[in-house]
């Protein structure tokens, strides 16, 4: 859920040098509450090449924010 996604984002934002793929798809408990931390992690993470958040519970605006961060 949101607590786990937020915690994971915090950890990967600070300490990831090897993780290349992260799949969190299909988790309806992950929603817009996580968008800020996930976008920060996407922007700061150098090794992550693929992040699958499909079928999570993001609003259209949250989904858009994540896509913008992923294109940076």
């Amino acid at each position: 859920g949101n607590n786990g996604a937020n915690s994971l984002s915090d950890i990967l934002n600070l300490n990831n040098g090897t993780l290349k793929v992260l799949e969190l798809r299909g988790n309806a408990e992950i929603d817009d509450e996580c968008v800020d931390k996930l976008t920060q992690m996407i922007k700061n993470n150098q090794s992550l090449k693929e992040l699958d958040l499909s079928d999570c519970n993001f609003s259209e605006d949250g989904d858009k924010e994540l896509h913008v961060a992923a294109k940076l």
Side-chain angles (χ1 to χ4, degrees), residues 46-71:
Q46 298 299 312
S47 67
L48 191 63
K49 303 299 179 203
E50 185 178 326
L51 175 61
D52 188 352
L53 294 168
S54 59
D55 298 322
C56 290
N57 201 22
F58 298 113
S59 68
E60 188 174 320
D61 289 339
D63 194 47
K64 190 179 295 184
E65 283 185 57
L66 291 164
H67 278 90
V68 168
K71 292 180 181 180

Side-chain angles (χ1 to χ4, degrees), residues 5-71:
N6 283 329
S7 295
L8 185 59
S9 294
D10 287 341
I11 292 166
L12 294 177
N13 201 18
L14 298 173
N15 298 316
N16 180 36
T18 58
L19 185 68
K20 294 183 185 338
V21 177
L22 179 59
E23 294 186 8
L24 299 174
R25 71 174 173 242
N27 191 334
E29 294 182 20
I30 296 177
D31 59 26
D32 287 355
E33 186 179 316
C34 300
V35 169
D36 288 341
K37 288 196 177 198
L38 287 169
T39 55
Q40 196 66 25
M41 185 267 301
I42 291 167
K43 291 176 184 177
N44 292 331
N45 195 295
Q46 298 299 312
S47 67
L48 191 63
K49 303 299 179 203
E50 185 178 326
L51 175 61
D52 188 352
L53 294 168
S54 59
D55 298 322
C56 290
N57 201 22
F58 298 113
S59 68
E60 188 174 320
D61 289 339
D63 194 47
K64 190 179 295 184
E65 283 185 57
L66 291 164
H67 278 90
V68 168
K71 292 180 181 180

